[in-house]
Amino acid sequence: MEQVEKSTYIKIKNALTYVGKLLSTAVLILLIIIGMFLIYYVIAARVVIKNPEYKPLFSLYNIATGSMEPNIKVDDVIVNIRVKSPESIKVGDVITFSSTSSISKGLTVTHRVINIIKNDDGSYEYVTKGDFNPSADSATAKYDDIIGKVAIKLPGVGKIQGFIATKMGWF
């Protein structure tokens, strides 16, 4: 009887050790990926500050308002991919752009495309709206003002970025 209990104990201990190693490896890989994104974020932000016209292939943004809730929440980080042509943006896509609205002129906004306008001169404009907002944005997003299309949402990662931006976080 004692031998069976000892054998069961060893099996359970080995299983828990395996699960623990698996979980710690998964957490380590996740932290490395998040760390790489955050390092890229800091470097890309410094490049954009020096050259505002530069549009990186990938860009990361920490969501600061609830205008896109419940789909994208405050402190989520979004990964944008630069858009190669105006035709690659479709109704329903979530885009990040530099706003020309009188309320938010020059701010970076992430909203959903609800309509596309093709002008006679061949240029494109996009009617956008935050999912939580009751009405469309007051100004359209012109293709030249688009930073990118949202490819990935990283829930809550902005809290980590906010902590790292503090003196304690850098330490």
Side-chain angles (χ1 to χ4, degrees):
M1 184 72 166
E2 227 175 88
Q3 195 68 310
V4 171
E5 287 178 11
K6 203 174 202 181
S7 173
T8 303
Y9 171 76
I10 291 171
K11 287 180 183 177
I12 291 172
K13 182 180 174 186
N14 289 342
L16 288 175
T17 301
Y18 177 76
V19 169
K21 286 180 181 179
L22 189 65
L23 285 174
S24 63
T25 302
V27 168
L28 179 63
I29 290 170
L30 181 63
L31 288 173
I32 289 170
I33 291 170
I34 290 170
M36 289 176 8
F37 273 122
L38 291 173
I39 289 168
Y40 176 82
Y41 177 77
V42 169
I43 292 169
R46 291 179 191 264
V47 170
V48 170
I49 287 170
K50 289 180 182 177
N51 181 6
E53 299 299 315
Y54 175 72
K55 291 184 182 178
L57 180 59
F58 296 100
S59 56
L60 296 151
Y61 288 93
N62 185 4
I63 300 302
T65 71
S67 69
M68 284 299 292
E69 294 211 12
N71 297 311
I72 303 174
K73 296 181 171 79
V74 173
D75 286 330
D76 286 352
V77 168
I78 55 166
V79 179
N80 287 306
I81 297 177
R82 183 176 49 207
V83 180
K84 295 183 186 203
S85 71
E87 295 87 5
S88 64
I89 298 173
K90 307 290 182 219
V91 170
D93 287 344
V94 178
I95 59 172
T96 300
F97 56 95
S98 181
S99 177
T100 58
S101 166
S102 60
I103 298 171
S104 56
K105 188 171 181 91
L107 295 178
T108 302
V109 176
T110 299
H111 281 171
R112 189 174 307 279
V113 175
I114 60 170
N115 194 12
I116 299 172
I117 301 167
K118 185 174 181 185
N119 297 316
D120 293 336
D121 64 359
S123 65
Y124 283 78
E125 295 181 35
Y126 305 91
V127 179
T128 57
K129 176 185 171 296
D131 291 350
F132 189 74
N133 295 348
S135 60
D137 297 338
S138 61
T140 59
K142 293 168 184 44
Y143 177 72
D144 291 339
D145 295 327
I146 293 177
I147 296 165
K149 186 172 15 175
V150 175
I152 301 170
K153 174 184 76 165
L154 304 169
V157 174
K159 291 177 184 174
I160 298 168
Q161 187 268 338
F163 173 70
I164 289 174
T166 66
K167 288 181 181 179
M168 183 61 149
W170 277 109
F171 177 71

